[in-house]
Structure formats: C-alpha cells, structure tokens
Amino acid sequence: MKKVRKAVIPAAGLGTRVLPATKSMPKEMLPIVDKPAIQYIVEEAVHSGIDEILIITNRGKGLMEDHFDRMPELEAKLLSSGKHSVYDEIVEISQLANIYFIRQKETKGLGHAVNRARSFIGDEPFAVLYGDDVIIGKNPVCAQLCRAYEEYGKGVVGVKEVAPEAIKKYSSLKVEPIRERMFSVTDMIEKPATLKDAFSLYSILGRCVLPPVIFDILDETPPGAGGEIQLTDAMRTLARSQGMIAVDFDGTRYDMGNKLGVMQASVEIALNHPEIGEDFRKYLRQIANDL
Ligand code: UTP
C-alpha cells in the first residue's frame, strides 16, 4: 500500500463563529499560548511522516505564508542580542516541511476547498487536517490514521462520539466494530436534522486520509447542507461504494472555530507549557477559589 506523504490543510473558511477576531485574520492563525493553531497542525502532519503540505487559504493569506517563511531582520536581531534558542525555534518553523499555498476563490464548502488540491496530490493517498481542529496527543492522530490506511487500503476518518444533542451540528456515521477503537464505515450523513436521522453518535472530527478517487467523486458532488459542497457527502459515496475505516483516535481535540474551544485549548495547553505551566497552574488555583 502506498505510503501517505502529502497533506492538505483547508483553512479558507470564514470563521463566523469567532468574529470579530477573524474579521481580517484567519481563525487558523489564532494563537494558543505562543503558537498559531496552524503551526500545531503542520507539526502534527510532520510528526506523522508527511513532508509535502498544501494549505488552502483565502483572505489573510499573507499572514500564514509569512509565518512559515524566513524573517531575516528578526533573525539577525535575535542573533545579535544573544537569543540563540528563540532564533533556532524561529528558523525551524520555516524548515518544518515543504509548504505550498493555493486559494479557494469562493467559500463554497470544505469539499470544494479539498478539490482545489487535485493537481498537488496527483495519484496518491493524502491526509486532510481541518485547519481549525487542533488535536494534541502522545501519538499524532494523523499518524494513527495513516497507519490504518496503510493496513486496510481504504479511506480513513478520525472519529469520536459526540453528545446526542450535538450530533445535528456534526456528521453521523454508520459503523461496525472491527477491533478495539476501529470500525468499518458503510454510510454517513452530514448534519442530521434530528437524532432519528443519525446513524450513530460517531462523528468525523478533524482528520481523514483519502484515496485520490475522492477528486472524481467531489466533481460530481452537488451542494449539500448549508448550500456548500460537503466533504462528508463525497466520503459517503466512497463509504457506500468501497467502504471506509473509522479510527476512534487517541488525542484531545480543540475546536478553534468556536469561542469556548479557543479558551479550552489555551488553558489546557498553557497548563502543560514548559515555560509558564507551573505559574499558570498556581494562577488558576488562585482564581478558582473566587469563582
Ligand atoms: P467550518 O465549517 O468550521 O469553517 O469548516 P467556517 O466556514 O470558517 O465556519 P463558521 O463560519 O465559523 O461557521 C471546517 C474547516 O474547513 C475550512 C475551514 O477553514 C475549516 O478549517 N473550510 C470551510 C474551507 O477551507 N473552505 C470552505 O469553503 C469552508
């Protein structure tokens, strides 16, 4: 089975749930302690053995491009003031992987965004890491999915169970267990209108690995929920025709697309941060007493 060596990060949504922060800045650039969300996601892909990454952008493209570029003036200043470890950290960001950018010119949905990657991907399997889902865990979740792809040769989705009252905001998958934390998927629906329309509470959260045939399927996929071309609708066609694999992944997912998710990411990642973790814990204990 072909190894997964390319990834696509769709980051061209409008981010309307985190306005006004995202008025002129993509939500993927929102910082979690000291790194923008997109850097955590690129690092996850790199730690999964992927070295070619395409980021799909629209407005605010410059910010993301600059973040993964060299910064000669800043680097010179850091060196001359003896800040060698920060210098190394800054240079390393520009050397993480080969990162490419393409614009989705109209915001027509996640499926439409992924379809912009066709010529970059060619005839290979590839990972999709949703640009607003930061997932932290010991083993990179993208790697967990890539290994499942390499084992089964089928498209793979990362899933978690969501609360019954939340399922209408997510996708719902028809699953049969294969082994611990792994299922075969034969059908799915995006944003089921009621609980009765849902297959299960297993929902795709932020990561998948797809075979290149998905592009032909996307070409034929009409707009679905919200009038957008939904990646889930294309994956449904794939699941019904070839079957897919679902991995109940090991990791904590933070939804940077909503305000509570942004705060949860900041608090939990700050608590484990080598530089400020201890002081932040003390601070939280102090203010928790007054809550
Ligand atoms: P979302 O549906 O969460 O993104 O898409 P959104 O449009 O920004 O959401 P609102 O406005 O807050 O409700 C999930 C991922 O797909 C990307 C987004 O950037 C996000 O990373 N996306 C979505 C695109 O790249 N293009 C699109 O047309 C839609």
Side-chain angles (χ1 to χ4, degrees), residues 10-17 27-28 104 107-110 113 130-132:
L14 295 179
T16 55
R17 288 165 295 150
K27 59 182 162 183
E28 293 77 9
Q104 180 192 19
T107 314
K108 287 185 172 174
L110 181 56
Y130 300 11
D132 57 354

Side-chain angles (χ1 to χ4, degrees), residues 123-183:
D123 195 26
E124 293 191 39
F126 64 103
V128 181
L129 296 91
Y130 300 11
D132 57 354
D133 280 322
V134 170
I135 308 183
I136 305 292
K138 275 201 202 100
N139 293 324
V141 172
C142 181
Q144 298 171 36
L145 270 55
C146 290
R147 298 303 85 83
Y149 179 87
E150 285 154 14
E151 184 177 351
Y152 289 94
K154 289 181 179 178
V156 183
V157 285
V159 299
K160 284 272 166 213
E161 273 188 294
V162 302
E165 58 279 11
I167 193 75
K168 60 179 183 296
K169 289 191 274 174
Y170 292 89
S171 57
S172 165
L173 273 56
K174 190 173 178 184
V175 291
E176 288 286 334
I178 306 179
R179 62 175 198 235
E180 212 191 345
R181 308 190 77 152
M182 207 173 275
F183 305 85

Side-chain angles (χ1 to χ4, degrees), residues 21-204:
T22 49
K23 187 178 171 197
S24 62
M25 175 181 90
K27 59 182 162 183
E28 293 77 9
M29 284 301 289
L30 288 171
I32 307 175
V33 188
D34 51 4
K35 287 195 264 185
I38 189 88
Q39 188 181 332
Y40 289 90
I41 296 172
V42 166
E43 286 172 349
E44 180 192 329
V46 170
H47 294 147
S48 305
I50 286 169
D51 51 18
E52 300 277 310
I53 299 172
L54 178 70
I55 302 181
I56 320 261
T57 61
N58 57 354
R59 84 288 173 214
K61 168 185 164 157
L63 272 186
M64 268 192 273
E65 283 202 7
D66 289 350
H67 187 72
F68 293 102
D69 199 355
R70 295 292 296 264
M71 284 281 166
E73 252 184 44
L74 173 68
E75 290 167 17
K77 177 84 187 147
L78 291 172
L79 277 185
S80 67
S81 51
K83 296 186 172 158
H84 295 280
S85 69
V86 192
Y87 168 85
D88 290 342
E89 201 184 334
I90 293 300
V91 172
E92 203 183 294
I93 299 171
S94 65
Q95 296 167 345
L96 279 170
N98 292 322
I99 302 182
Y100 307 82
F101 297 86
I102 193 170
R103 279 196 184 205
Q104 180 192 19
K105 292 178 187 155
E106 290 171 279
T107 314
K108 287 185 172 174
L110 181 56
H112 180 263
V114 169
N115 210 6
R116 303 304 98 210
R118 186 193 268 265
S119 64
F120 169 78
I121 296 298
D123 195 26
E124 293 191 39
F126 64 103
V128 181
L129 296 91
Y130 300 11
D132 57 354
D133 280 322
V134 170
I135 308 183
I136 305 292
K138 275 201 202 100
N139 293 324
V141 172
C142 181
Q144 298 171 36
L145 270 55
C146 290
R147 298 303 85 83
Y149 179 87
E150 285 154 14
E151 184 177 351
Y152 289 94
K154 289 181 179 178
V156 183
V157 285
V159 299
K160 284 272 166 213
E161 273 188 294
V162 302
E165 58 279 11
I167 193 75
K168 60 179 183 296
K169 289 191 274 174
Y170 292 89
S171 57
S172 165
L173 273 56
K174 190 173 178 184
V175 291
E176 288 286 334
I178 306 179
R179 62 175 198 235
E180 212 191 345
R181 308 190 77 152
M182 207 173 275
F183 305 85
S184 81
V185 184
T186 48
D187 209 347
M188 62 182 78
I189 178 172
E190 178 66 21
K191 298 191 173 57
T194 66
L195 202 48
K196 268 199 217 137
D197 300 307
F199 291 113
S200 74
L201 295 178
Y202 281 103
S203 185
I204 302 168

